[in-house]
Amino acid sequence: MAQETSALSPRLARAADWGVYALVVSTLLGLLAFLTNPVPDPSFPWATLPASLRLPVTQPRIEHWPVTYTLAVWTWVFALPLALLAVYRRIAPRIGLGASAWLVGLPAALMVVLTTYCRFFWPKLHPASWNAPSYTFACWGYCSSYVPAWSNLAYLVAGLGVGAFLLARQRSDRGRLVAGAFGVLALPLGLPALVYARRTSVR
């Protein structure tokens, strides 16, 4: 039987806090692109500021996106998992959902939502770009190529995460192992699941 633990190590807690700071900084970088480029993200041409509000400079682009917008979205990709750990550390003790819900269930649910959005709703840019930010390696395979097999793989990984959550609810060793597998396959979004697998002791 596996025992869930709620506290993060000091090093991991600091990393979680830095993840939150990184999200704030990356948001500011993303907003900066709106002050310099008429259409920072061509997927959303309506998201623009009037010329009177923009600075008299234009950022160069990395593929489809301005430099600071590219830095922003890729920082979101890697900072979000750490921010989820910060949310878990601060909110989980007040809401009795358990570590498995916060560290395994939430990333799995996010992966389902993000994979569905990218597959069916994201206005895709052409040509496909290696620079397409994605929250997991499998999702990057799809967003950088539009090959459906990658999206199907992402759904399988997300399904593994849902299964890991259901098993982890039973606090079994099997749930810990499946959560670890999901964490690896869903990196970087799967980082909280890896934390869960590592910190859940077997008794």
Side-chain angles (χ1 to χ4, degrees):
M1 188 69 67
Q3 179 68 37
E4 292 184 353
T5 58
S6 58
L8 298 178
S9 68
R11 179 178 297 179
L12 200 54
R14 285 194 298 272
D17 288 337
W18 278 107
V20 175
Y21 302 148
L23 284 182
V24 173
V25 171
S26 62
T27 299
L28 295 175
L29 288 172
L31 292 175
L32 177 60
F34 285 86
L35 296 175
T36 59
N37 292 58
V39 181
D41 192 333
S43 291
F44 308 101
W46 49 266
T48 184
L49 289 177
S52 60
L53 297 179
R54 294 197 302 268
L55 300 174
V57 294
T58 300
Q59 292 186 45
R61 291 179 178 264
I62 302 176
E63 296 286 327
H64 300 295
W65 301 277
V67 172
T68 62
Y69 195 82
T70 299
L71 291 174
V73 290
W74 276 109
T75 302
W76 291 334
V77 165
F78 290 99
L80 177 62
L82 294 172
L84 292 179
L85 292 177
V87 169
Y88 164 69
R89 181 164 64 97
R90 289 183 169 86
I91 299 179
R94 288 177 266 165
I95 302 177
L97 295 178
S100 60
W102 290 99
L103 300 179
V104 183
L106 181 56
L110 282 173
M111 189 170 179
V112 171
V113 170
L114 292 169
T115 300
T116 300
Y117 168 74
C118 291
R119 176 74 175 264
F120 299 106
F121 302 103
W122 176 42
K124 297 173 180 59
L125 299 173
H126 294 277
S129 170
W130 60 269
N131 193 35
S134 307
Y135 286 91
T136 71
F137 292 128
C139 296
W140 178 82
Y142 175 72
C143 292
S144 63
S145 68
Y146 307 149
V147 174
W150 281 107
S151 181
N152 296 339
L153 177 61
Y155 273 118
L156 287 175
V157 173
L160 181 67
V162 173
F165 164 66
L166 295 176
L167 289 171
R169 293 271 295 178
Q170 303 172 17
R171 299 188 179 185
S172 67
D173 187 34
R174 183 180 300 175
R176 179 179 67 88
L177 294 175
V178 178
F182 165 68
V184 170
L185 294 173
L187 284 172
L189 182 61
L191 175 64
L194 284 178
V195 171
Y196 174 85
R198 180 179 177 81
R199 296 188 59 81
T200 303
S201 59
V202 179
R203 294 184 178 179

